[in-house]
Amino acid sequence: MRYFFGVLCSIFLFVNCHKSNSQEIQQVTTKELKVLLEKGKIQLLDVRTPEEISEGYIETAIFANYFDDNFAEIASKKLSKEFPVYLICRSGNRSGKSAKILKEKGYNVYNVVGGFNQWKKEN
């Protein structure tokens, strides 16, 4: 019985660890993003609403509103899977959720920590 319990716990830990690693989204700071933008062309997807974007945006960003019903379809038409996708929103919450959606579709994604609010503080 003790052996059975040990094996069961090991299987449970393995499955949960594997699941959390596969769902983990890579993070970048706004300072790291700035360096990447200065180095060259990157895919930066801004997932804020049009109203939020009207208050300011990063010049090279591509836009797809996270709240649109067909967000994943719109974003997929604008992005290439050959290059990483950096996602930004207002504070980092929606971009994190967007990153999970796009990761499931096969994109290599990075969430910008602190979002556009943090970007505005530093730039």
Side-chain angles (χ1 to χ4, degrees):
M1 184 69 175
R2 192 177 200 177
Y3 176 74
F4 176 75
F5 182 74
V7 169
L8 188 62
C9 285
S10 297
I11 291 170
F12 177 78
L13 287 172
F14 174 78
V15 168
N16 283 325
C17 288
H18 178 70
K19 184 177 179 181
S20 66
N21 285 340
S22 66
Q23 295 299 319
E24 191 172 302
I25 303 298
Q26 302 173 86
Q27 308 281 326
V28 296
T29 65
T30 50
K31 290 179 181 175
E32 292 169 324
L33 177 64
K34 185 173 184 173
V35 172
L36 289 166
L37 289 167
E38 290 169 353
K39 283 184 177 177
K41 191 175 181 181
I42 66 166
Q43 292 188 107
L44 175 63
L45 184 64
D46 190 328
V47 298
R48 294 177 299 152
T49 64
E51 293 79 24
E52 291 171 316
I53 291 168
S54 70
E55 297 171 4
Y57 57 90
I58 297 173
E59 197 169 301
T60 58
I62 302 165
F63 304 101
N65 184 353
Y66 171 76
F67 293 118
D68 283 343
D69 290 338
N70 54 350
F71 163 76
E73 182 181 331
I74 292 169
S76 293
K77 287 180 181 176
K78 297 180 176 183
L79 299 170
S80 168
K81 288 184 178 177
E82 293 181 36
F83 305 101
V85 178
Y86 296 84
L87 292 130
I88 191 166
C89 66
R90 187 181 54 172
S91 64
N93 187 33
R94 276 175 284 163
S95 56
K97 292 176 183 175
S98 301
K100 288 179 184 173
I101 292 169
L102 293 176
K103 186 173 184 175
E104 288 175 5
K105 297 208 170 283
Y107 291 92
N108 180 17
V109 294
Y110 292 83
N111 182 33
V112 179
V113 178
F116 195 74
N117 287 343
Q118 184 64 33
W119 176 268
K120 281 194 317 189
K121 287 180 189 173
E122 297 172 357
N123 296 288

